[in-house]
Amino acid sequence: MFIYLCKKIAIPGNVRLRCISWNKDQGFIACGGEDGLLKVLKLETQTDEAKIKGLAAPSNLSVNQTLEGHSGSVQVVTWNEQYQKLTTSDQNGLIIVWMLYKGAWYEEMINNRNKSVVRSMSWNADGKKICIVYEDGAVIVGSVDGNRIWGKDLKGTHLCHVAWSSDSKVLLFGMSNGEIHIYDNQGNFIVKMKLSCLVNVTGAFSIAGIHWYHGTEGYIEPDCPCLAVCYDNGRCQIMRDENDHNPVLIDTGMNVVCIQWNHCGSVLAVAGSLKTTSQDKDVNIVQFYTPFGEHLRTLKVPGKQISALSWEGSGLKIALAVDSYIYFANIRPDYKWGYCSNTVVYAYTRPDRPEYCVVFWDTKNNEKYVKYVKSLISITTYGDFCVLATKADENQPQYVLVLCNSIGTPLDPKYIDIGPLFVTMTKTHVIAASKEAFYVWQYRVAKKLTAMEFNQVARTRKEGRERIYHVDDTPSGSAGGHLDYSRAIEFQGTRDPICAITASDKMLLVGRESGTLQRYSLPSVGMVQKFTLNCHAYQLSLNCNSSRVAVIDLSGVLTFFDLDTRVVTSTGEQMVGEQLKLERKDVWDMKWAKDNPDLFAMMEKTRMYVFRNLDPEEPIQTSGYICNFEDLEIKSVLLDEILKNPEHPNKDYIINFEIRSLRDSRALIEKVGIEESSQFIEDNPHPRLWRLLAEAALQKLDLQTAEQAFVRCRDYQGIKFVKRLGNLQSESMKQAEVAAYFSRFEEAERMYLDMDRRDLAIGLRIKLGDWFRVLQLLKTGSGDSDDALLEQAHNAIGDYFADRQKWLNAVQYYVQGRNQERLAECYYMLEDYQGLENLANSLPENNKLLPDIAYMFVRVGMCEQAVSAFLKCNRPKDAVDTCVHLNQWDKAVELAKNHNMKEIGSLLARYASHLLEKNKIFDAIELYRKANYFFEAAKLMFKIADEESKKRTKPLRVKKLYVLSALLIEQCHEQIQNAQKGKVKGKSSEAASALAGLLEEDVLSSTNRFADNAWRGAEAYHFFILAQRQLYKGSVQAALKTALHLRDYEDIIPAVEIYSLLALCACANRAFDICSKAFVKLESLETLRPEQRQQYEDLALEIFTRHSPKSNKKSDLDDMLDSSIDGKLPVCVATGDPILEQRFWMCSVCKHCMKPKEASSRSFCPLCHSTI
């Protein structure tokens, strides 16, 4: 950063100032002094025109109001920015709160304890609470509306300072004895602050200031120190929080009066005085430090005694109260910024994010790309590239250099072990230096490369591509060089640290604090020479041919050193290098011209000077940072204005300045003429001036002068253009071509149309890519327009809309341009699958677009349309693959059969086995079912049903599984019969086809037990469930009849369950003969354990000692049951009764029967649940 005094305001009556405070939001400055002096001032806000000049704009006072109300010396002034209030206090303890009304300040509230004097006041971060501390130990916390929240009397203490934490939970009280006590926001003591900066301090000392930055603009680093405490003896500590036991310690070596952070917590200003040995009186100075204790600058201030300081809201100005004057100083911050290929790269902090926000702002297209970078150290740019230097990790001392392109895309990161305090860049190298070592990275080969060809850079770390050197080494340049950090850092520092570096394609210059300047060759990095400068360099810059270096020192003095001049010393010794006589003060930025070694621009305070051969031109008022100096034009960026609203950079803040020779040449051409101007340009040659002359000659169709000028500025395209103009006969044609050359396209088109050369107007618009205008011209023409050109125009407009993802608009133009390929893409993006299908149907067979459309359908799962498209382009295999991919196996099998593809069966089997391996049996069943392989599906379903049956799960679930199995078998039978019918059609009778079907079914039934009687499992569980339902309902006789059927199904349901149920039903029906037989069967079962058998025997004994094993009700029940068991009579699946009637209902699916009475009251078959 650079700082210089810029303005001085005298207080009337020579009243001495005691305090000053600058309102960060509204820009008001309050200053208090002796005899009740209280003034509110405001520097006038800049107009748009003045903004372009930035700080260079004149700043007069727009507000100068004296506030009456205090009688004693005003000692404390503090602003509440959120609520636009000013709070002031004087030596009598009187507190006044002032409010803003119609542009002026008025008293709002007054308070006076009449006991003690107010030493400090502080509003919290949100402006809702104020804490007031009195000298006698009294503390009052009040609200913004004047109500007292709490008060406390800290007995035995003398208070002098107060500060809030950013979250308003902690209060710091500074005591007159130098101690700082930490309290909570309710006034409860927590702990005394540890003051590391006062170790080994003797003598009396007091607190000069406590300032806690509240993070309103974000932090420059995560966990950044933000609480500054400073004592009048110059000792200072900066802490991360109130309990930080490892603070940053600074000994300023001065008598401190006041401290304050800037608006974003990146700079701490410490004001006070310094005793000098040469002078008797003290010198007023302001020292500037980073939060990490690094000294940035020192500002000397005239006057007897400085009493206070305050920063402006943007951090670009600082106000100093000295005696009876207010001094203003301008600050030129060291922004993290750079400029590469029309892109301004700048970084800023945000309160909502811990990282730096890095913006890549393309000034040509006004587009910006934002990246978030943690612990950013610096930004360096060159050509088309940018290097971001960052800290790799907070806990490890490792750093990263990230090479990016001009839109912020990271191309190549390099991890290094030295802190990159100084970074410079050339066309081929990145050089980073710490205080004792420098690292050289050749990021691309030394041939002419564009950003697009960057992928030629090897990603691997090659020999010699990266090297590191200690500053005290003397490399010869011959060795390849290694990346050996231990060797470079083994010295652990140096007595003469590095303070600045710069490089060009030929050389690297390293400046050291002693004034030594070391010159190394590039790319070999060999020590060439050492020079001695008369200053401590802060910034070095080489001109375009590396003959001179510009040096800006710490105090802003710019000097020049000629590296090639050979001089003879007084002793007769010949030396290389000479200090030039030019010296400029208060310089904070400079840039050499890229194309002239004698041209440079520099910023001196608020003026820009351009020098040619060390002679200055008249200055320009501006505060911009110089981006680029090329072609006699300086591009400057007003970073101060941009960073006031960094999310929305404005193109108005990029300013181009023409230097005098360019301005003079332009004026000469306009006023005097081409011939006279060419003589002036001959005397002051520059390609840009020749181009200016060439363009002026073209405008006047002076082709000979234009050609000569284009030759002088080596513009081959210009020469060719002049030749082409010379071949044209028509004068108006030449004028039209010149208008087009100067981008006056509307004028050129109008001329072509006036000449009735619509074809040339269309050609011009085609070159420009303005297809909308091309279409307009084609349609407005009187003759028939070219159909091919019309199609081309429609397609180009379609492309325009498609590029912007306006697919609906694109479709309309592609239809007119008959561009079926892009049309298909648009339909797909619009999800207009009907349109896509219509397009596929309209295409001829074997069209090359059909497979692409088919794959579009595949991607969205539209099987039928995809198959249709594949078949249309004669790709049945792809159609089958699609069906398989989309699980449409029935379709796949059908297609495979129709196209005689053998592999479908094996494919199906392979997929099914894959599913079975993963235990996805139901998926395998579904697969077989969809592919019409009903028998395989039924086999798997029966297997599941048998397993579930053995698990003794819910009987209803098992019945459902058996029903599904049987239904699959029925579908299999139906498939066989249909196939046989199809085979023998027209050859033999129906009887023959039926016989063939039966024979095939016979083969199936011989291979599997369930194929013969598929419904047995379903019947078993159906009757098992029905018997239990009837029993629970109380229909014991019906339950017994049903249970008797279960004796046929011992192979499906365990015998123990069948006979237990039968015994229960018989006992309930008092049919003890059947009950007895059931118990006999149970006792004879081999599957029972002895204790279970014993239980059955005991139960039988208990039953049959009471009841004789004979049936009490002798009826025809037994005969009926016997006949049904023998299979003579069909059984009703609804009731379990044998059907005695001649007429009964039979299910068309499972072929089971039901009594007509039952059938009439039901909608579904009780067994298979098919609709009646």
Side-chain angles (χ1 to χ4, degrees):
M1 64 174 280
F2 181 70
I3 182 163
Y4 58 91
L5 293 170
C6 62
K7 191 177 179 68
K8 175 181 173 185
I9 295 175
I11 300 298
N14 288 339
V15 179
R16 211 178 111 117
L17 294 175
R18 299 288 299 274
C19 50
I20 190 165
S21 183
W22 204 324
N23 184 314
K24 302 286 182 288
D25 289 349
Q26 288 92 29
F28 293 104
I29 304 162
C31 54
E34 292 174 351
D35 303 327
L37 172 87
L38 180 60
K39 270 187 167 297
V40 174
L41 315 169
K42 187 177 184 181
L43 298 175
E44 65 182 16
T45 52
Q46 296 174 352
T47 59
D48 289 340
E49 189 182 340
K51 272 187 181 177
I52 291 170
K53 293 182 178 179
L55 288 175
S59 47
N60 300 317
L61 291 178
S62 62
V63 174
N64 183 357
Q65 184 185 357
T66 302
L67 306 187
E68 306 287 347
H70 289 288
S71 54
S73 173
V74 176
Q75 295 179 328
V76 187
V77 292
T78 180
W79 288 102
N80 181 339
E81 279 102 351
Q82 288 84 349
Y83 291 91
Q84 293 191 350
K85 292 184 189 297
L86 170 64
T87 316
T88 59
S89 174
D90 61 24
Q91 69 185 57
N92 304 321
L94 173 68
I95 300 170
I96 303 179
V97 179
W98 310 83
M99 58 176 260
L100 181 65
Y101 179 70
K102 292 186 177 178
W105 292 89
Y106 297 94
E107 269 182 25
E108 185 185 20
M109 290 179 270
I110 292 181
N111 181 29
N112 196 346
R113 275 179 72 229
N114 294 320
K115 284 187 179 177
S116 180
V117 61
V118 175
R119 279 287 168 219
S120 182
M121 296 185 286
S122 177
W123 288 97
N124 69 345
D126 60 12
K128 290 181 179 174
K129 292 181 188 174
I130 187 170
C131 184
I132 303 165
V133 295
Y134 289 84
E135 192 174 45
D136 64 356
V139 178
I140 295 172
V141 173
S143 67
V144 69
D145 51 13
N147 295 321
R148 181 176 172 139
I149 297 172
W150 58 265
K152 196 156 192 170
D153 201 357
L154 307 180
K155 297 223 168 15
T157 61
H158 290 283
L159 298 173
C160 61
H161 285 277
V162 63
W164 288 93
S165 64
S166 55
D167 58 5
S168 304
K169 290 182 178 176
V170 172
L171 276 166
L172 303 182
F173 293 132
M175 310 292 171
S176 57
N177 63 1
E179 288 181 356
I180 296 175
H181 293 190
I182 303 170
Y183 282 70
D184 68 11
N185 60 0
Q186 297 303 312
N188 303 310
F189 177 73
I190 301 174
V191 72
K192 284 185 183 179
M193 183 182 284
K194 185 184 176 188
L195 299 168
S196 311
C197 63
L198 294 177
V199 175
N200 302 328
V201 171
T202 55
F205 53 82
S206 63
I207 300 169
I210 304 172
H211 193 193
W212 201 332
Y213 168 60
H214 289 157
T216 46
E217 296 284 329
Y219 295 92
I220 57 168
E221 204 174 281
D223 200 27
C224 178
C226 56
L227 167 57
V229 176
C230 197
Y231 287 84
D232 61 351
N233 61 7
R235 295 294 182 95
C236 184
Q237 70 180 42
I238 309 177
M239 309 165 75
R240 285 160 186 82
D241 55 53
E242 71 276 10
N243 299 313
D244 188 356
H245 292 299
N246 188 24
V248 174
L249 302 179
I250 306 170
D251 186 357
T252 62
M254 57 190 266
N255 187 32
V256 180
V257 173
C258 178
I259 65 166
Q260 196 177 21
W261 286 109
N262 70 343
H263 70 300
C264 62
S266 62
V267 181
L268 177 69
V270 181
S273 55
L274 188 66
K275 283 204 186 308
T276 55
T277 50
S278 58
Q279 298 170 332
D280 296 337
K281 61 174 187 153
D282 293 351
V283 177
N284 292 323
I285 60 167
V286 183
Q287 305 267 31
F288 296 88
Y289 296 91
T290 69
F292 306 100
E294 296 156 19
H295 180 255
L296 293 171
R297 290 279 161 159
T298 300
L299 175 70
K300 288 183 181 176
V301 185
K304 287 183 184 173
Q305 191 181 354
I306 190 166
S307 55
L309 70 84
S310 187
W311 287 86
E312 185 217 11
S314 63
L316 299 176
K317 278 187 166 72
I318 196 164
L320 308 165
V322 183
D323 304 332
S324 60
Y325 299 96
I326 300 173
Y327 286 90
F328 290 95
N330 276 348
I331 288 155
R332 308 313 297 129
D334 284 335
Y335 292 118
K336 291 175 171 52
W337 80 287
Y339 180 79
C340 57
S341 71
N342 293 316
T343 300
V344 176
V345 187
Y346 58 91
Y348 66 98
T349 54
R350 284 170 51 158
D352 57 337
R353 292 194 76 124
E355 312 99 329
Y356 265 95
C357 182
V358 182
V359 179
F360 291 79
W361 175 37
D362 180 349
T363 57
K364 197 172 181 181
N365 303 317
N366 204 20
E367 291 175 351
K368 62 186 180 69
Y369 309 88
V370 179
K371 305 284 171 191
Y372 291 97
V373 181
K374 209 172 177 186
S375 304
L376 180 71
I377 298 167
S378 66
I379 294 172
T380 312
T381 51
Y382 188 93
D384 296 330
F385 301 105
C386 164
V387 167
L388 305 177
T390 69
K391 220 172 175 181
D393 191 7
E394 291 162 31
N395 308 321
Q396 295 174 342
Q398 202 177 28
Y399 303 87
V400 196
L401 298 176
V402 185
L403 184 72
C404 302
N405 62 13
S406 60
I407 60 168
T409 308
L411 301 171
D412 202 2
K414 287 283 179 246
Y415 285 80
I416 58 173
D417 291 343
I418 62 167
L421 299 177
F422 315 99
V423 184
T424 190
M425 213 174 160
T426 72
K427 201 174 358 178
T428 53
H429 288 77
V430 172
I431 300 106
S434 64
K435 293 205 169 190
E436 63 278 324
F438 61 91
Y439 158 91
V440 180
W441 165 32
Q442 185 179 342
Y443 68 92
R444 61 177 190 174
V445 289
K447 69 174 210 180
K448 192 172 182 184
L449 281 184
T450 63
M452 296 298 289
E453 296 168 327
F454 190 78
N455 53 13
Q456 290 181 18
V457 176
R459 289 270 173 257
T460 55
R461 183 172 275 171
K462 289 185 179 175
E463 188 70 28
R465 185 60 61 80
E466 294 175 71
R467 288 165 288 178
I468 188 159
Y469 302 92
H470 195 277
V471 72
D472 294 334
D473 281 350
T474 312
S476 64
S478 57
H482 294 283
L483 195 67
D484 186 358
Y485 284 101
S486 57
R487 188 165 161 273
I489 309 172
E490 64 190 1
F491 296 102
Q492 290 300 317
T494 175
R495 288 183 179 178
D496 189 6
I498 296 171
C499 61
I501 63 169
T502 189
S504 67
D505 296 342
K506 301 178 191 173
M507 69 173 77
L508 164 66
L509 294 179
V510 176
R512 304 178 73 170
E513 288 185 4
S514 64
T516 304
L517 187 65
Q518 294 177 190
R519 174 176 171 176
Y520 300 85
S521 61
L522 278 182
S524 56
V525 194
M527 171 76 84
V528 176
Q529 210 161 355
K530 287 188 180 181
F531 307 102
T532 304
L533 303 174
N534 302 328
C535 61
H536 174 156
Y538 176 71
Q539 184 183 322
L540 297 173
S541 182
L542 276 164
N543 65 354
C544 63
N545 66 359
S546 307
S547 61
R548 287 178 179 175
V549 62
V551 183
I552 302 177
D553 71 7
L554 272 174
S555 53
V557 175
L558 171 67
T559 52
F560 293 86
F561 196 85
D562 197 310
L563 299 168
D564 297 337
T565 307
R566 295 183 181 276
V567 290
V568 179
T569 59
S570 54
T571 56
E573 193 182 340
Q574 195 177 53
M575 285 182 68
V576 177
E578 179 191 16
Q579 185 98 25
L580 300 180
K581 291 198 168 62
L582 179 69
E583 185 178 290
R584 302 291 294 203
K585 292 182 179 175
D586 292 328
V587 177
W588 50 270
D589 193 15
M590 77 83 59
K591 184 80 76 176
W592 289 98
K594 284 186 177 179
D595 46 15
N596 187 332
D598 297 325
L599 264 181
F600 69 88
M602 53 156 263
M603 298 301 304
E604 187 179 289
K605 290 192 174 177
T606 52
R607 291 181 297 279
M608 179 194 286
Y609 288 88
V610 176
F611 281 74
R612 182 191 291 273
N613 293 327
L614 306 183
D615 294 325
E617 295 180 4
E618 65 276 4
I620 303 161
Q621 288 281 320
T622 179
S623 301
Y625 286 73
I626 304 167
C627 295
N628 196 27
F629 188 0
E630 195 174 10
D631 273 349
L632 308 182
E633 270 193 325
I634 299 162
K635 183 170 276 193
S636 176
V637 56
L638 295 174
L639 283 172
D640 304 331
E641 300 301 322
I642 285 172
L643 285 160
K644 284 176 185 174
N645 187 7
E647 291 175 32
H648 304 100
N650 187 336
K651 281 184 95 167
D652 292 344
Y653 298 144
I654 298 284
I655 310 166
N656 289 311
F657 299 103
E658 294 184 345
I659 76 163
R660 190 169 64 196
S661 59
L662 183 55
R663 293 197 304 268
D664 291 353
S665 301
R666 183 170 278 127
L668 270 173
I669 289 166
E670 285 172 9
K671 290 173 186 170
V672 180
I674 287 171
E675 282 183 34
E676 292 80 356
S677 308
S678 61
Q679 188 55 49
F680 173 77
I681 294 169
E682 191 79 55
D683 298 338
N684 300 279
H686 191 280
R688 177 65 196 276
L689 299 181
W690 286 116
R691 189 159 68 247
L692 190 70
L693 182 67
E695 288 172 357
L698 267 183
Q699 298 273 30
K700 294 182 177 171
L701 294 180
D702 181 351
L703 300 186
Q704 189 182 352
T705 309
E707 188 176 2
Q708 288 170 356
F710 276 131
V711 168
R712 295 297 292 269
C713 65
R714 297 178 184 179
D715 185 343
Y716 181 68
Q717 283 88 353
I719 298 165
K720 293 284 284 181
F721 178 66
V722 173
K723 291 275 189 202
R724 191 155 61 83
L725 278 184
N727 295 332
L728 295 174
Q729 302 304 317
S730 163
E731 198 75 12
S732 53
M733 186 73 82
K734 287 180 184 177
Q735 286 173 345
E737 288 289 329
V738 169
Y741 179 83
F742 286 114
S743 303
R744 300 199 303 270
F745 303 117
E746 301 295 330
E747 188 183 323
E749 183 191 303
R750 196 167 57 251
M751 288 178 177
Y752 286 138
L753 292 174
D754 290 345
M755 288 185 279
D756 203 19
R757 291 299 303 268
R758 194 162 55 93
D759 58 325
L760 292 176
I762 290 168
L764 172 67
R765 289 298 175 182
I766 289 173
K767 276 183 197 168
L768 294 173
D770 185 356
W771 290 97
F772 290 95
R773 184 68 185 141
V774 170
L775 192 60
Q776 211 175 339
L777 287 167
L778 285 169
K779 286 180 177 175
T780 53
S782 53
D784 291 333
S785 55
D786 184 357
D787 287 348
L789 200 54
L790 256 177
E791 276 190 16
Q792 190 186 354
H794 281 125
N795 287 329
I797 295 171
D799 291 341
Y800 170 86
F801 285 119
D803 290 344
R804 285 152 184 77
Q805 297 186 351
K806 295 180 177 176
W807 308 109
L808 210 55
N809 302 43
V811 164
Q812 299 166 15
Y813 287 98
Y814 285 140
V815 167
Q816 289 173 289
R818 293 202 282 260
N819 190 337
Q820 292 158 332
E821 197 172 329
R822 293 307 299 268
L823 202 52
E825 188 187 332
C826 289
Y827 282 139
Y828 181 65
M829 297 308 289
L830 283 168
E831 298 178 16
D832 180 2
Y833 302 117
Q834 187 58 51
L836 197 58
E837 190 178 349
N838 295 342
L839 179 64
N841 294 339
S842 69
L843 291 171
E845 288 189 3
N846 294 323
N847 186 291
K848 64 174 184 176
L849 190 57
L850 281 168
D852 295 337
I853 293 175
Y855 283 121
M856 287 177 188
F857 283 128
V858 172
R859 284 196 287 272
V860 292
M862 295 175 73
C863 183
E864 195 178 324
Q865 289 84 345
V867 166
S868 169
F870 276 129
L871 292 179
K872 197 167 181 182
C873 60
N874 198 22
R875 289 169 67 165
K877 188 176 184 315
D878 288 334
V880 171
D881 290 344
T882 297
C883 293
V884 169
H885 174 66
L886 297 174
N887 265 340
Q888 301 294 320
W889 288 91
D890 49 347
K891 188 92 174 157
V893 173
E894 187 188 328
L895 282 169
K897 284 178 181 172
N898 291 346
H899 292 86
N900 298 321
M901 294 168 73
K902 302 274 193 300
E903 66 268 16
I904 188 68
S906 61
L907 185 67
L908 201 64
R910 195 167 71 243
Y911 185 48
S913 63
H914 165 72
L915 289 170
L916 292 170
E917 273 172 29
K918 291 192 168 182
N919 207 23
K920 294 181 176 177
I921 301 174
F922 283 107
D923 290 357
I925 292 167
E926 183 66 11
L927 171 72
Y928 278 132
R929 194 181 70 75
K930 279 190 171 179
N932 296 333
Y933 281 55
F934 297 115
F935 189 68
E936 279 75 6
K939 273 203 295 191
L940 288 173
M941 189 59 87
F942 270 115
K943 186 182 170 188
I944 292 173
D946 288 344
E947 283 173 4
E948 290 294 313
S949 172
K950 284 171 189 163
K951 285 184 199 168
R952 314 308 308 132
T953 51
K954 293 178 181 176
L956 186 60
R957 174 181 164 81
V958 179
K959 177 196 165 182
K960 286 177 183 176
L961 291 169
Y962 276 123
V963 168
L964 285 171
S965 313
L967 286 170
L968 286 168
I969 287 290
E970 291 298 333
Q971 282 179 286
C972 179
H973 291 327
E974 193 180 336
Q975 187 187 32
I976 292 167
Q977 286 166 8
N978 290 342
Q980 288 304 327
K981 274 181 195 170
K983 276 182 196 173
V984 296
K985 206 169 195 181
K987 291 183 188 173
S988 60
S989 62
E990 277 188 34
S993 73
L995 184 63
L998 288 169
L999 285 170
E1000 198 165 326
E1001 286 186 35
D1002 207 36
V1003 173
L1004 287 180
S1005 63
S1006 63
T1007 56
N1008 278 80
R1009 67 173 181 81
F1010 58 79
D1012 185 31
N1013 192 352
W1015 291 97
R1016 266 181 61 75
E1019 287 167 8
Y1021 274 92
H1022 174 70
F1023 288 131
F1024 186 62
I1025 294 164
L1026 181 62
Q1028 298 198 54
R1029 277 189 186 146
Q1030 289 168 333
L1031 183 64
Y1032 276 101
K1033 238 201 279 183
S1035 309
V1036 287
Q1037 191 171 3
L1040 178 59
K1041 287 180 192 176
T1042 307
L1044 281 165
H1045 294 306
L1046 292 173
R1047 290 179 298 176
D1048 279 353
Y1049 302 107
E1050 285 184 30
D1051 58 328
I1052 294 167
I1053 300 174
V1056 64
E1057 295 207 11
I1058 291 172
Y1059 290 105
S1060 295
L1061 180 60
L1062 186 57
L1064 188 61
C1065 292
C1067 188
N1069 200 32
R1070 308 191 71 76
F1072 293 112
D1073 53 342
I1074 299 172
C1075 184
S1076 171
K1077 288 175 188 172
F1079 268 106
V1080 169
K1081 188 75 176 173
L1082 279 168
E1083 287 167 19
S1084 65
L1085 287 174
E1086 294 175 4
T1087 55
L1088 292 179
R1089 295 197 302 277
E1091 59 269 21
Q1092 285 178 315
R1093 187 175 286 109
Q1094 187 61 47
Q1095 283 176 331
Y1096 280 124
E1097 285 173 4
D1098 293 347
L1099 184 58
L1101 189 64
E1102 192 180 333
I1103 291 169
F1104 295 119
T1105 48
R1106 293 186 193 171
H1107 306 283
S1108 170
K1110 290 178 186 174
S1111 178
N1112 296 342
K1113 307 176 202 169
K1114 191 68 183 166
S1115 67
D1116 58 350
L1117 172 69
D1118 296 331
D1119 302 331
M1120 281 164 58
L1121 292 175
D1122 288 342
S1123 65
S1124 70
I1125 289 162
D1126 294 338
K1128 290 171 188 173
L1129 293 172
V1131 179
C1132 174
V1133 287
T1135 60
D1137 286 347
I1139 300 173
L1140 303 173
E1141 297 92 337
Q1142 291 298 317
R1143 290 166 64 85
F1144 53 82
W1145 176 87
M1146 181 184 276
C1147 177
S1148 60
V1149 178
C1150 63
K1151 306 295 187 285
H1152 283 69
C1153 307
M1154 196 165 34
K1155 289 181 179 179
K1157 188 176 77 173
E1158 294 293 333
S1160 63
S1161 64
R1162 293 172 188 270
S1163 304
F1164 301 98
C1165 170
L1167 180 66
C1168 70
H1169 298 273
S1170 56
T1171 311
I1172 294 175

